[in-house]
Structure formats: structure tokens, C-alpha cells
Short mmCIF file of all heavy atoms in Angstrom, two decimals:
data_model
loop_
_atom_site.label_atom_id
_atom_site.label_comp_id
_atom_site.label_asym_id
_atom_site.label_seq_id
_atom_site.Cartn_x
_atom_site.Cartn_y
_atom_site.Cartn_z
N MET A 29 0.21 8.04 23.90
CA MET A 29 -0.52 7.59 22.75
C MET A 29 -1.06 8.79 22.00
O MET A 29 -1.57 9.76 22.64
CB MET A 29 -1.67 6.65 23.15
CG MET A 29 -2.42 6.14 21.98
SD MET A 29 -3.44 4.72 22.44
CE MET A 29 -5.03 5.51 22.44
N THR A 30 -0.95 8.83 20.69
CA THR A 30 -1.51 9.89 19.85
C THR A 30 -2.75 9.40 19.17
O THR A 30 -2.74 8.31 18.58
CB THR A 30 -0.47 10.34 18.86
OG1 THR A 30 0.74 10.71 19.56
CG2 THR A 30 -0.92 11.51 18.02
N THR A 31 -3.79 10.19 19.22
CA THR A 31 -5.00 9.87 18.47
C THR A 31 -5.12 10.77 17.29
O THR A 31 -4.99 12.00 17.45
CB THR A 31 -6.24 9.98 19.41
OG1 THR A 31 -6.04 9.18 20.55
CG2 THR A 31 -7.47 9.64 18.70
N GLN A 32 -5.46 10.26 16.15
CA GLN A 32 -5.59 11.02 14.93
C GLN A 32 -6.99 10.75 14.35
O GLN A 32 -7.40 9.61 14.31
CB GLN A 32 -4.50 10.55 13.95
CG GLN A 32 -4.40 11.41 12.73
CD GLN A 32 -3.30 12.39 12.95
OE1 GLN A 32 -2.45 12.31 13.80
NE2 GLN A 32 -3.31 13.44 12.06
N GLY A 33 -7.61 11.81 13.85
CA GLY A 33 -8.89 11.60 13.18
C GLY A 33 -8.68 10.84 11.90
O GLY A 33 -7.61 10.84 11.33
N ARG A 34 -9.64 10.25 11.33
CA ARG A 34 -9.63 9.54 10.08
C ARG A 34 -10.89 9.64 9.38
O ARG A 34 -12.00 9.80 9.91
CB ARG A 34 -9.21 8.01 10.27
CG ARG A 34 -10.29 7.30 11.14
CD ARG A 34 -10.28 5.85 10.91
NE ARG A 34 -11.25 5.23 11.73
CZ ARG A 34 -12.56 5.11 11.56
NH1 ARG A 34 -13.11 5.71 10.46
NH2 ARG A 34 -13.35 4.50 12.33
N GLN A 35 -10.82 9.46 8.06
CA GLN A 35 -11.97 9.42 7.25
C GLN A 35 -12.48 8.00 7.04
O GLN A 35 -11.59 7.07 6.99
CB GLN A 35 -11.77 10.09 5.89
CG GLN A 35 -11.46 11.57 5.98
CD GLN A 35 -11.22 12.06 4.58
OE1 GLN A 35 -11.01 11.38 3.62
NE2 GLN A 35 -11.29 13.43 4.49
N THR A 36 -13.78 7.75 6.98
CA THR A 36 -14.28 6.44 6.65
C THR A 36 -13.69 5.97 5.41
O THR A 36 -13.57 6.80 4.37
CB THR A 36 -15.83 6.48 6.61
OG1 THR A 36 -16.32 6.92 7.85
CG2 THR A 36 -16.37 5.15 6.26
N ARG A 37 -13.38 4.74 5.30
CA ARG A 37 -12.74 4.09 4.09
C ARG A 37 -11.31 4.55 3.84
O ARG A 37 -10.77 4.27 2.79
CB ARG A 37 -13.60 4.33 2.83
CG ARG A 37 -15.08 3.96 2.99
CD ARG A 37 -15.35 2.52 3.09
NE ARG A 37 -15.01 1.79 1.87
CZ ARG A 37 -14.84 0.52 1.85
NH1 ARG A 37 -15.06 -0.24 2.91
NH2 ARG A 37 -14.54 -0.11 0.71
N SER A 38 -10.67 5.09 4.84
CA SER A 38 -9.24 5.42 4.74
C SER A 38 -8.50 4.13 4.75
O SER A 38 -8.87 3.14 5.35
CB SER A 38 -8.80 6.27 5.90
OG SER A 38 -9.42 7.53 5.93
N THR A 39 -7.38 4.11 4.00
CA THR A 39 -6.54 2.94 3.92
C THR A 39 -5.20 3.22 4.55
O THR A 39 -4.58 4.23 4.23
CB THR A 39 -6.36 2.47 2.47
OG1 THR A 39 -7.61 2.18 1.92
CG2 THR A 39 -5.50 1.18 2.39
N LEU A 40 -4.76 2.27 5.45
CA LEU A 40 -3.42 2.43 6.06
C LEU A 40 -2.53 1.39 5.31
O LEU A 40 -2.91 0.21 5.21
CB LEU A 40 -3.48 2.09 7.55
CG LEU A 40 -2.17 1.97 8.26
CD1 LEU A 40 -1.40 3.26 8.33
CD2 LEU A 40 -2.38 1.39 9.66
N ALA A 41 -1.46 1.80 4.79
CA ALA A 41 -0.52 0.91 4.14
C ALA A 41 0.83 0.94 4.82
O ALA A 41 1.44 1.97 4.89
CB ALA A 41 -0.36 1.26 2.64
N LEU A 42 1.26 -0.16 5.36
CA LEU A 42 2.57 -0.31 5.98
C LEU A 42 3.40 -1.24 5.04
O LEU A 42 2.91 -2.30 4.61
CB LEU A 42 2.47 -0.98 7.35
CG LEU A 42 1.57 -0.22 8.34
CD1 LEU A 42 1.43 -1.09 9.65
CD2 LEU A 42 2.13 1.13 8.67
N TYR A 43 4.56 -0.82 4.67
CA TYR A 43 5.35 -1.53 3.67
C TYR A 43 6.84 -1.40 3.92
O TYR A 43 7.29 -0.43 4.50
CB TYR A 43 5.00 -1.09 2.29
CG TYR A 43 5.15 0.36 2.03
CD1 TYR A 43 6.39 0.89 1.49
CD2 TYR A 43 4.16 1.25 2.34
CE1 TYR A 43 6.52 2.22 1.31
CE2 TYR A 43 4.33 2.63 2.18
CZ TYR A 43 5.55 3.09 1.66
OH TYR A 43 5.69 4.43 1.49
N THR A 44 7.55 -2.33 3.45
CA THR A 44 9.07 -2.24 3.52
C THR A 44 9.57 -1.67 2.18
O THR A 44 8.85 -1.61 1.21
CB THR A 44 9.68 -3.62 3.76
OG1 THR A 44 9.29 -4.53 2.68
CG2 THR A 44 9.22 -4.24 5.04
N ASP A 45 10.82 -1.27 2.26
CA ASP A 45 11.34 -0.59 1.07
C ASP A 45 11.47 -1.53 -0.17
O ASP A 45 11.48 -1.04 -1.32
CB ASP A 45 12.76 -0.04 1.39
CG ASP A 45 13.78 -1.08 1.73
OD1 ASP A 45 13.44 -2.21 2.15
OD2 ASP A 45 15.02 -0.79 1.58
N GLY A 46 11.43 -2.84 0.03
CA GLY A 46 11.44 -3.77 -1.11
C GLY A 46 10.18 -3.61 -2.02
O GLY A 46 10.18 -4.06 -3.10
N ILE A 47 9.13 -3.01 -1.45
CA ILE A 47 7.91 -2.82 -2.24
C ILE A 47 8.11 -1.59 -3.23
O ILE A 47 7.56 -1.57 -4.34
CB ILE A 47 6.71 -2.54 -1.35
CG1 ILE A 47 6.37 -3.85 -0.58
CG2 ILE A 47 5.54 -2.08 -2.13
CD1 ILE A 47 5.76 -4.99 -1.37
N VAL A 48 8.82 -0.64 -2.77
CA VAL A 48 8.89 0.65 -3.56
C VAL A 48 10.24 0.97 -4.21
O VAL A 48 10.34 1.93 -4.94
CB VAL A 48 8.51 1.85 -2.69
CG1 VAL A 48 7.01 1.77 -2.29
CG2 VAL A 48 9.35 1.99 -1.46
N GLU A 49 11.21 0.17 -3.97
CA GLU A 49 12.53 0.45 -4.66
C GLU A 49 13.25 -0.84 -5.03
O GLU A 49 12.98 -1.92 -4.48
CB GLU A 49 13.49 1.21 -3.79
CG GLU A 49 14.11 0.50 -2.63
CD GLU A 49 15.09 1.38 -1.87
OE1 GLU A 49 15.62 2.41 -2.41
OE2 GLU A 49 15.37 1.00 -0.75
N SER A 50 14.03 -0.73 -6.09
CA SER A 50 14.83 -1.88 -6.61
C SER A 50 15.95 -1.32 -7.37
O SER A 50 16.02 -0.09 -7.60
CB SER A 50 13.91 -2.75 -7.49
OG SER A 50 13.65 -2.10 -8.71
N PRO A 51 16.79 -2.16 -7.86
CA PRO A 51 17.91 -1.67 -8.72
C PRO A 51 17.51 -1.02 -9.97
O PRO A 51 18.18 -0.18 -10.54
CB PRO A 51 18.71 -2.96 -9.02
CG PRO A 51 18.38 -3.91 -7.92
CD PRO A 51 16.97 -3.61 -7.54
N THR A 52 16.24 -1.33 -10.42
CA THR A 52 15.75 -0.70 -11.68
C THR A 52 14.65 0.35 -11.44
O THR A 52 14.14 0.98 -12.40
CB THR A 52 15.14 -1.81 -12.56
OG1 THR A 52 14.03 -2.47 -11.89
CG2 THR A 52 16.18 -2.83 -12.91
N ALA A 53 14.20 0.60 -10.15
CA ALA A 53 13.24 1.60 -9.92
C ALA A 53 13.69 2.53 -8.72
O ALA A 53 14.11 2.00 -7.67
CB ALA A 53 11.90 0.94 -9.61
N ASP A 54 13.53 3.77 -8.87
CA ASP A 54 13.86 4.76 -7.85
C ASP A 54 12.75 4.71 -6.76
O ASP A 54 11.58 4.46 -7.03
CB ASP A 54 13.86 6.16 -8.45
CG ASP A 54 14.19 7.24 -7.49
OD1 ASP A 54 15.32 7.33 -7.05
OD2 ASP A 54 13.26 8.00 -7.17
N VAL A 55 13.14 4.94 -5.49
CA VAL A 55 12.23 4.90 -4.39
C VAL A 55 11.12 5.87 -4.54
O VAL A 55 9.94 5.55 -4.25
CB VAL A 55 12.95 5.02 -3.03
CG1 VAL A 55 13.50 6.40 -2.80
CG2 VAL A 55 12.02 4.64 -1.85
N SER A 56 11.34 7.08 -5.07
CA SER A 56 10.29 8.05 -5.14
C SER A 56 9.28 7.62 -6.27
O SER A 56 8.07 7.80 -6.08
CB SER A 56 10.83 9.45 -5.48
OG SER A 56 11.55 9.46 -6.67
N GLU A 57 9.78 7.03 -7.29
CA GLU A 57 8.85 6.49 -8.35
C GLU A 57 7.99 5.40 -7.79
O GLU A 57 6.78 5.33 -8.05
CB GLU A 57 9.75 5.98 -9.52
CG GLU A 57 8.97 5.38 -10.66
CD GLU A 57 9.93 4.81 -11.74
OE1 GLU A 57 11.01 5.36 -11.92
OE2 GLU A 57 9.51 3.82 -12.37
N GLY A 58 8.60 4.44 -7.08
CA GLY A 58 7.92 3.36 -6.46
C GLY A 58 6.83 3.80 -5.45
O GLY A 58 5.74 3.32 -5.43
N THR A 59 7.21 4.85 -4.67
CA THR A 59 6.25 5.36 -3.69
C THR A 59 5.08 6.03 -4.34
O THR A 59 3.92 5.87 -3.94
CB THR A 59 7.06 6.41 -2.74
OG1 THR A 59 8.10 5.70 -2.13
CG2 THR A 59 6.07 6.94 -1.71
N GLN A 60 5.33 6.76 -5.41
CA GLN A 60 4.26 7.42 -6.15
C GLN A 60 3.28 6.33 -6.74
O GLN A 60 2.08 6.51 -6.71
CB GLN A 60 4.76 8.33 -7.32
CG GLN A 60 5.39 9.56 -6.78
CD GLN A 60 4.43 10.40 -5.85
OE1 GLN A 60 3.28 10.68 -6.25
NE2 GLN A 60 4.92 10.81 -4.70
N HIS A 61 3.88 5.27 -7.25
CA HIS A 61 3.04 4.17 -7.79
C HIS A 61 2.27 3.54 -6.70
O HIS A 61 0.98 3.30 -6.90
CB HIS A 61 3.92 3.11 -8.48
CG HIS A 61 3.17 2.08 -9.18
ND1 HIS A 61 3.16 1.94 -10.52
CD2 HIS A 61 2.39 1.10 -8.73
CE1 HIS A 61 2.43 0.93 -10.88
NE2 HIS A 61 1.92 0.43 -9.77
N LEU A 62 2.83 3.31 -5.54
CA LEU A 62 2.10 2.76 -4.40
C LEU A 62 0.96 3.69 -4.02
O LEU A 62 -0.20 3.16 -3.79
CB LEU A 62 3.04 2.56 -3.20
CG LEU A 62 2.38 2.04 -1.96
CD1 LEU A 62 3.26 0.96 -1.28
CD2 LEU A 62 2.07 3.11 -0.94
N LEU A 63 1.22 4.95 -3.89
CA LEU A 63 0.08 5.85 -3.49
C LEU A 63 -1.01 5.85 -4.55
O LEU A 63 -2.20 5.90 -4.16
CB LEU A 63 0.68 7.30 -3.31
CG LEU A 63 1.62 7.49 -2.16
CD1 LEU A 63 2.26 8.83 -2.20
CD2 LEU A 63 0.86 7.26 -0.82
N ARG A 64 -0.71 5.83 -5.79
CA ARG A 64 -1.69 5.83 -6.91
C ARG A 64 -2.56 4.53 -6.79
O ARG A 64 -3.76 4.58 -6.88
CB ARG A 64 -1.00 5.91 -8.26
CG ARG A 64 -1.90 6.11 -9.38
CD ARG A 64 -1.22 6.43 -10.73
NE ARG A 64 -0.11 5.58 -11.00
CZ ARG A 64 1.18 5.85 -10.96
NH1 ARG A 64 1.56 7.09 -10.52
NH2 ARG A 64 2.16 5.06 -11.21
N VAL A 65 -1.90 3.39 -6.65
CA VAL A 65 -2.64 2.12 -6.51
C VAL A 65 -3.53 2.13 -5.34
O VAL A 65 -4.71 1.75 -5.47
CB VAL A 65 -1.64 0.90 -6.41
CG1 VAL A 65 -2.33 -0.37 -6.07
CG2 VAL A 65 -0.89 0.73 -7.76
N VAL A 66 -3.07 2.55 -4.18
CA VAL A 66 -3.92 2.55 -2.99
C VAL A 66 -5.09 3.55 -3.18
O VAL A 66 -6.24 3.21 -2.76
CB VAL A 66 -3.11 2.96 -1.71
CG1 VAL A 66 -4.00 3.24 -0.52
CG2 VAL A 66 -2.06 1.85 -1.38
N ALA A 67 -4.90 4.66 -3.84
CA ALA A 67 -5.99 5.67 -4.03
C ALA A 67 -6.97 5.18 -5.02
O ALA A 67 -8.18 5.50 -4.93
CB ALA A 67 -5.39 6.98 -4.45
N GLU A 68 -6.57 4.36 -6.09
CA GLU A 68 -7.47 4.02 -7.16
C GLU A 68 -8.21 2.70 -6.94
O GLU A 68 -9.10 2.40 -7.73
CB GLU A 68 -6.65 3.99 -8.45
CG GLU A 68 -6.14 5.38 -8.91
CD GLU A 68 -5.29 5.28 -10.15
OE1 GLU A 68 -4.94 4.21 -10.56
OE2 GLU A 68 -4.89 6.37 -10.59
N THR A 69 -7.76 1.88 -5.98
CA THR A 69 -8.40 0.62 -5.83
C THR A 69 -9.27 0.59 -4.57
O THR A 69 -9.00 1.27 -3.63
CB THR A 69 -7.38 -0.53 -5.79
OG1 THR A 69 -6.48 -0.28 -4.72
CG2 THR A 69 -6.64 -0.73 -7.06
N THR A 70 -10.42 -0.11 -4.67
CA THR A 70 -11.35 -0.11 -3.52
C THR A 70 -11.26 -1.47 -2.73
O THR A 70 -11.51 -1.48 -1.57
CB THR A 70 -12.79 0.04 -4.02
OG1 THR A 70 -13.11 -0.98 -4.98
CG2 THR A 70 -12.98 1.42 -4.68
N ASP A 71 -10.87 -2.50 -3.37
CA ASP A 71 -10.76 -3.84 -2.73
C ASP A 71 -9.34 -4.07 -2.29
O ASP A 71 -8.43 -3.93 -3.05
CB ASP A 71 -11.23 -4.94 -3.71
CG ASP A 71 -11.07 -6.29 -3.15
OD1 ASP A 71 -11.86 -6.61 -2.23
OD2 ASP A 71 -10.21 -7.00 -3.65
N LEU A 72 -9.16 -4.39 -0.98
CA LEU A 72 -7.81 -4.54 -0.48
C LEU A 72 -7.08 -5.74 -1.15
O LEU A 72 -5.88 -5.65 -1.32
CB LEU A 72 -7.84 -4.78 1.01
CG LEU A 72 -8.26 -3.58 1.84
CD1 LEU A 72 -8.19 -3.82 3.37
CD2 LEU A 72 -7.44 -2.32 1.49
N SER A 73 -7.78 -6.77 -1.58
CA SER A 73 -7.15 -7.86 -2.23
C SER A 73 -6.55 -7.38 -3.61
O SER A 73 -5.46 -7.75 -3.93
CB SER A 73 -8.17 -8.97 -2.53
OG SER A 73 -7.89 -10.09 -1.88
N THR A 74 -7.34 -6.64 -4.35
CA THR A 74 -6.86 -6.02 -5.56
C THR A 74 -5.69 -5.13 -5.35
O THR A 74 -4.73 -5.12 -6.14
CB THR A 74 -8.05 -5.29 -6.27
OG1 THR A 74 -9.09 -6.19 -6.47
CG2 THR A 74 -7.62 -4.68 -7.59
N THR A 75 -5.85 -4.26 -4.35
CA THR A 75 -4.71 -3.38 -3.99
C THR A 75 -3.42 -4.19 -3.75
O THR A 75 -2.36 -3.83 -4.32
CB THR A 75 -4.98 -2.58 -2.76
OG1 THR A 75 -6.26 -1.87 -2.91
CG2 THR A 75 -3.94 -1.58 -2.42
N ALA A 76 -3.49 -5.23 -2.97
CA ALA A 76 -2.31 -6.00 -2.59
C ALA A 76 -1.70 -6.66 -3.89
O ALA A 76 -0.56 -6.64 -4.14
CB ALA A 76 -2.63 -7.08 -1.60
N GLY A 77 -2.63 -7.15 -4.75
CA GLY A 77 -2.20 -7.80 -5.97
C GLY A 77 -1.49 -6.81 -6.92
O GLY A 77 -0.41 -7.16 -7.47
N GLN A 78 -1.98 -5.60 -6.99
CA GLN A 78 -1.32 -4.62 -7.79
C GLN A 78 -0.01 -4.16 -7.29
O GLN A 78 0.87 -3.82 -7.98
CB GLN A 78 -2.35 -3.46 -8.08
CG GLN A 78 -3.45 -3.81 -8.96
CD GLN A 78 -4.30 -2.67 -9.43
OE1 GLN A 78 -3.89 -1.53 -9.25
NE2 GLN A 78 -5.52 -2.94 -9.87
N LEU A 79 0.02 -4.05 -5.96
CA LEU A 79 1.28 -3.71 -5.35
C LEU A 79 2.43 -4.71 -5.57
O LEU A 79 3.54 -4.40 -5.69
CB LEU A 79 1.12 -3.43 -3.81
CG LEU A 79 0.28 -2.16 -3.50
CD1 LEU A 79 0.11 -2.09 -1.93
CD2 LEU A 79 0.95 -0.95 -4.00
N LEU A 80 1.99 -5.95 -5.66
CA LEU A 80 2.98 -7.00 -5.96
C LEU A 80 3.59 -6.82 -7.30
O LEU A 80 4.72 -7.29 -7.57
CB LEU A 80 2.36 -8.37 -5.86
CG LEU A 80 2.04 -8.76 -4.39
CD1 LEU A 80 1.35 -10.13 -4.39
CD2 LEU A 80 3.24 -8.84 -3.50
N THR A 81 2.89 -6.16 -8.23
CA THR A 81 3.44 -5.89 -9.56
C THR A 81 4.61 -4.91 -9.50
O THR A 81 5.40 -4.80 -10.44
CB THR A 81 2.40 -5.34 -10.53
OG1 THR A 81 2.02 -4.10 -10.12
CG2 THR A 81 1.22 -6.27 -10.65
N LEU A 82 4.74 -4.22 -8.36
CA LEU A 82 5.94 -3.27 -8.19
C LEU A 82 7.23 -4.10 -8.00
O LEU A 82 8.29 -3.54 -8.14
CB LEU A 82 5.69 -2.44 -6.96
CG LEU A 82 4.59 -1.40 -7.01
CD1 LEU A 82 4.41 -0.75 -5.67
CD2 LEU A 82 4.87 -0.38 -8.08
N LEU A 83 7.13 -5.33 -7.58
CA LEU A 83 8.32 -6.10 -7.25
C LEU A 83 9.15 -6.33 -8.51
O LEU A 83 8.65 -6.70 -9.52
CB LEU A 83 7.96 -7.40 -6.59
CG LEU A 83 7.22 -7.30 -5.22
CD1 LEU A 83 6.90 -8.68 -4.76
CD2 LEU A 83 8.00 -6.59 -4.25
N ASP A 84 10.47 -6.17 -8.38
CA ASP A 84 11.35 -6.46 -9.48
C ASP A 84 11.75 -7.96 -9.34
O ASP A 84 12.34 -8.33 -8.39
CB ASP A 84 12.59 -5.53 -9.32
CG ASP A 84 13.55 -5.67 -10.50
OD1 ASP A 84 13.51 -6.69 -11.20
OD2 ASP A 84 14.35 -4.80 -10.65
N SER A 85 11.43 -8.71 -10.34
CA SER A 85 11.58 -10.20 -10.31
C SER A 85 13.14 -10.50 -10.27
O SER A 85 13.50 -11.60 -9.90
CB SER A 85 10.92 -10.87 -11.49
OG SER A 85 11.43 -10.36 -12.70
N CYS A 86 13.93 -9.58 -10.61
CA CYS A 86 15.40 -9.78 -10.63
C CYS A 86 16.01 -9.51 -9.27
O CYS A 86 17.06 -9.95 -8.99
CB CYS A 86 16.09 -8.89 -11.66
SG CYS A 86 15.61 -9.27 -13.30
N ASP A 87 15.26 -8.82 -8.35
CA ASP A 87 15.79 -8.42 -7.07
C ASP A 87 15.30 -9.40 -6.04
O ASP A 87 14.22 -9.28 -5.50
CB ASP A 87 15.31 -6.98 -6.72
CG ASP A 87 15.94 -6.52 -5.42
OD1 ASP A 87 16.90 -7.13 -4.98
OD2 ASP A 87 15.45 -5.48 -4.87
N THR A 88 16.10 -10.46 -5.74
CA THR A 88 15.72 -11.45 -4.79
C THR A 88 16.36 -11.21 -3.45
O THR A 88 16.25 -12.08 -2.57
CB THR A 88 16.06 -12.90 -5.33
OG1 THR A 88 17.42 -12.90 -5.59
CG2 THR A 88 15.33 -13.15 -6.58
N TYR A 89 17.06 -10.14 -3.30
CA TYR A 89 17.78 -9.87 -2.04
C TYR A 89 17.16 -8.95 -1.01
O TYR A 89 17.60 -8.83 0.09
CB TYR A 89 19.18 -9.33 -2.37
CG TYR A 89 19.99 -10.28 -3.22
CD1 TYR A 89 20.13 -10.07 -4.66
CD2 TYR A 89 20.55 -11.43 -2.74
CE1 TYR A 89 20.87 -10.89 -5.42
CE2 TYR A 89 21.23 -12.33 -3.50
CZ TYR A 89 21.40 -12.08 -4.85
OH TYR A 89 22.10 -12.91 -5.63
N ASP A 90 16.09 -8.31 -1.42
CA ASP A 90 15.41 -7.35 -0.55
C ASP A 90 14.11 -7.90 -0.06
O ASP A 90 13.46 -8.69 -0.76
CB ASP A 90 15.20 -6.04 -1.26
CG ASP A 90 15.01 -4.84 -0.35
OD1 ASP A 90 14.99 -5.13 0.90
OD2 ASP A 90 14.91 -3.71 -0.80
N ASP A 91 13.73 -7.57 1.13
CA ASP A 91 12.46 -7.93 1.67
C ASP A 91 11.33 -7.22 1.01
O ASP A 91 11.50 -6.10 0.54
CB ASP A 91 12.43 -7.75 3.18
CG ASP A 91 12.60 -6.24 3.58
OD1 ASP A 91 13.36 -5.59 2.92
OD2 ASP A 91 11.91 -5.81 4.48
N ALA A 92 10.11 -7.83 0.98
CA ALA A 92 9.00 -7.11 0.36
C ALA A 92 7.80 -7.54 1.23
O ALA A 92 7.30 -8.65 1.11
CB ALA A 92 8.81 -7.56 -1.08
N THR A 93 7.29 -6.59 2.03
CA THR A 93 6.20 -6.84 2.89
C THR A 93 5.20 -5.66 2.80
O THR A 93 5.65 -4.54 2.82
CB THR A 93 6.63 -7.02 4.38
OG1 THR A 93 7.61 -8.06 4.42
CG2 THR A 93 5.42 -7.35 5.24
N VAL A 94 3.90 -6.01 2.75
CA VAL A 94 2.94 -4.96 2.72
C VAL A 94 1.75 -5.43 3.62
O VAL A 94 1.34 -6.60 3.61
CB VAL A 94 2.41 -4.60 1.32
CG1 VAL A 94 1.72 -5.79 0.64
CG2 VAL A 94 1.54 -3.43 1.33
N LEU A 95 1.28 -4.53 4.43
CA LEU A 95 0.10 -4.73 5.32
C LEU A 95 -0.89 -3.64 5.02
O LEU A 95 -0.54 -2.43 5.18
CB LEU A 95 0.55 -4.75 6.82
CG LEU A 95 -0.61 -4.85 7.83
CD1 LEU A 95 -1.30 -6.21 7.67
CD2 LEU A 95 -0.09 -4.67 9.20
N LEU A 96 -2.09 -4.03 4.67
CA LEU A 96 -3.11 -3.00 4.38
C LEU A 96 -4.27 -3.17 5.33
O LEU A 96 -4.70 -4.25 5.67
CB LEU A 96 -3.66 -3.27 2.94
CG LEU A 96 -2.65 -3.13 1.83
CD1 LEU A 96 -3.32 -3.69 0.53
CD2 LEU A 96 -2.15 -1.73 1.69
N ALA A 97 -4.80 -2.05 5.81
CA ALA A 97 -5.94 -2.03 6.64
C ALA A 97 -6.82 -0.85 6.22
O ALA A 97 -6.33 0.25 5.82
CB ALA A 97 -5.53 -1.84 8.15
N ARG A 98 -8.12 -1.06 6.31
CA ARG A 98 -9.07 -0.05 5.91
C ARG A 98 -9.96 0.27 7.06
O ARG A 98 -10.53 -0.63 7.70
CB ARG A 98 -9.89 -0.47 4.69
CG ARG A 98 -10.90 0.53 4.29
CD ARG A 98 -11.32 0.54 2.86
NE ARG A 98 -10.21 0.74 1.96
CZ ARG A 98 -10.00 0.04 0.88
NH1 ARG A 98 -10.84 -0.92 0.54
NH2 ARG A 98 -8.93 0.26 0.11
N ALA A 99 -10.17 1.60 7.37
CA ALA A 99 -11.11 2.03 8.35
C ALA A 99 -12.52 1.72 7.96
O ALA A 99 -12.85 1.82 6.79
CB ALA A 99 -10.93 3.50 8.63
N SER A 100 -13.33 1.32 8.88
CA SER A 100 -14.75 0.99 8.59
C SER A 100 -15.62 2.09 9.11
O SER A 100 -15.24 2.89 9.95
CB SER A 100 -15.15 -0.35 9.15
OG SER A 100 -15.11 -0.31 10.58
N ASP A 101 -16.86 2.04 8.64
CA ASP A 101 -17.87 2.95 9.15
C ASP A 101 -18.55 2.24 10.35
O ASP A 101 -19.25 1.27 10.22
CB ASP A 101 -18.94 3.24 8.10
CG ASP A 101 -19.96 4.20 8.49
OD1 ASP A 101 -20.03 4.58 9.71
OD2 ASP A 101 -20.79 4.62 7.67
N ALA A 102 -18.22 2.74 11.56
CA ALA A 102 -18.71 2.08 12.77
C ALA A 102 -20.21 2.00 12.83
O ALA A 102 -20.79 1.08 13.40
CB ALA A 102 -18.14 2.83 14.00
N ARG A 103 -20.90 2.98 12.22
CA ARG A 103 -22.33 2.93 12.22
C ARG A 103 -22.92 1.89 11.37
O ARG A 103 -23.93 1.27 11.77
CB ARG A 103 -22.87 4.31 11.80
CG ARG A 103 -22.54 5.42 12.77
CD ARG A 103 -22.93 6.78 12.23
NE ARG A 103 -21.90 6.93 11.08
CZ ARG A 103 -21.76 8.04 10.43
NH1 ARG A 103 -22.49 9.03 10.63
NH2 ARG A 103 -20.84 8.13 9.50
N SER A 104 -22.30 1.58 10.29
CA SER A 104 -22.83 0.52 9.41
C SER A 104 -22.25 -0.81 9.72
O SER A 104 -22.78 -1.87 9.23
CB SER A 104 -22.62 0.90 7.94
OG SER A 104 -21.28 0.75 7.67
N GLY A 105 -21.14 -0.84 10.36
CA GLY A 105 -20.47 -2.08 10.66
C GLY A 105 -19.78 -2.70 9.49
O GLY A 105 -19.39 -3.85 9.53
N THR A 106 -19.54 -1.99 8.43
CA THR A 106 -18.90 -2.50 7.25
C THR A 106 -17.35 -2.30 7.33
O THR A 106 -16.91 -1.28 7.89
CB THR A 106 -19.39 -1.88 5.92
OG1 THR A 106 -19.15 -0.47 5.92
CG2 THR A 106 -20.90 -2.18 5.78
N ALA A 107 -16.65 -3.27 6.81
CA ALA A 107 -15.20 -3.20 6.79
C ALA A 107 -14.75 -3.98 5.55
O ALA A 107 -15.49 -4.83 5.06
CB ALA A 107 -14.56 -3.71 8.07
N SER A 108 -13.55 -3.71 5.14
CA SER A 108 -12.97 -4.58 4.03
C SER A 108 -11.58 -4.94 4.32
O SER A 108 -11.01 -4.50 5.19
CB SER A 108 -13.06 -3.81 2.75
OG SER A 108 -12.37 -2.60 2.74
#
């Protein structure tokens, strides 16, 4: 097992390629958009909603899954 340090309020985003690429969007462009959305939003619900805008409505053949988790401050007991 590997243990990695983390900053409070860090966000972990696990996603499939259907979130960041489509026939009309390059994977690097989609990945940059994903990183920008995760960095700029504070509420995970808002983040997920904005990530769904990345989906190409014409591409019904690829999977699209995203899982978001945010580290909490153990001292304050807050999490989102």
C-alpha cells in the first residue's frame, strides 16, 4: 500500500474516457476542461453537473462515469 500526503479540500476525480473525449472533442482538450472545472468549483454537486456538460449528446456509444471525493479537515469534521 502506498500512502500519499494530501491537502485539506483536495478533490479526487475518477472518470472514464467518455467524460473527456468524443468524436468532436480531443482527449487533451476534455482533460484540460475537467481539470479547470474541478479546480474552479467548490461544491461537488456543481462540479459533477458541470462535468456532465462535457458529454457529447451525439456520442451514445461510449461510457461516461465520474466519481468525485473531497478530503475533509479531520480536526473540524467537515466534508463535502
Side-chain angles (χ1 to χ4, degrees):
M29 183 166 104
T30 303
T31 303
Q32 190 95 17
R34 61 157 176 80
Q35 294 180 344
T36 300
R37 309 291 295 163
S38 297
T39 301
L40 172 68
L42 303 173
Y43 56 93
T44 59
D45 65 337
I47 293 290
V48 295
E49 75 176 339
S50 75
T52 60
D54 179 74
V55 68
S56 60
E57 178 184 329
T59 302
Q60 288 303 311
H61 187 110
L62 178 138
L63 292 172
R64 188 172 49 256
V65 167
V66 170
E68 293 175 355
T69 55
T70 57
D71 176 68
L72 292 184
S73 244
T74 302
T75 304
Q78 288 188 18
L79 290 177
L80 290 177
T81 66
L82 293 174
L83 298 178
D84 186 339
S85 60
C86 298
D87 184 14
T88 58
Y89 300 104
D90 203 354
D91 61 323
T93 304
V94 65
L95 173 65
L96 301 170
R98 178 155 299 137
S100 65
D101 183 352
R103 292 170 291 187
S104 71
T106 59
S108 58

